[in-house]
Amino acid sequence: MSPAAFILPLQTGIPPVSDALTRGVLELATEPTALPPAIEPAWNSNPLNIAAVLIFTFWMMLNIRAIIHITPALADCLVRWKGSVNLDKSIQLSRERNTAARILFLCGGLLVSRYGLLRSGVIDGLPAIWQTPAIFGVLTAYALLRRIIYLFMSRHVRKREIFMAGHTASYNFGIWIAIAMLLAAGAGSALSIPEADMKNILTGICLFFYIFYLIRKMQIFNSCYHKFMSFLYLCGLELLPTAALTAVAVFS
């Protein structure tokens, strides 16, 4: 028998490719998949944050004696409204208070940045390295707005020293807010409290002291002005700038 007799059946038994591969499952994606989101660097690895923490630590160590010296006067501001008035009457205490307020403003801003207490679309859209400077920019603009409103309203008031004591009471309570936040953040770090819970705790601390501050400020104004006028001063000096800050955080 010729070799062709064996080759022919073999050739006729193999179907064409189009008939053999009639169906199948494609395991690979037909379109390119999106790249995974980039992992943001940790807050404490940001060089600007590290530099700001070092500045705060060094500045705090240089003025620790003055801060300790002013603590009893600051405690008196918590106990009674006259404490803020008496503190403003002392040149030395008011100078030490202002220095402590600047130092702890830096501390408070760092904590706000670290735990994301002031979040907005604009700030979140910035590169991580610029988010802390942006937060300080917003807080500085808030402080400047309060200062401008105070200078505008203080031109036509009587008992200007009382009016000024009501304004600078924010420094006294701002110091307590920063100290309480710093202690809470330290305790939270030691106890490994989740950051989401720490954010709620720090927000609660800010709200508590802010409401307490508004009460004391209203009492300071009531000691000299009519209650309705005191309320108008409170709205202009505090509620208006705070509403502007809240609008930046919520609507930007």
Side-chain angles (χ1 to χ4, degrees), residues 37-61:
I39 300 176
E40 294 186 359
W43 187 90
N44 54 7
S45 66
N46 187 324
L48 292 182
N49 296 340
I50 296 174
V53 170
L54 293 176
I55 291 172
F56 160 71
T57 304
F58 183 70
W59 200 4
M60 184 80 170
M61 292 175 62

Side-chain angles (χ1 to χ4, degrees), residues 153 218 221-222 225-234:
M153 297 181 67
M218 189 71 175
F221 286 155
N222 285 340
Y225 308 114
H226 189 272
K227 290 185 178 180
F228 179 70
M229 187 61 65
S230 298
F231 178 73
L232 293 180
Y233 286 153
L234 190 69

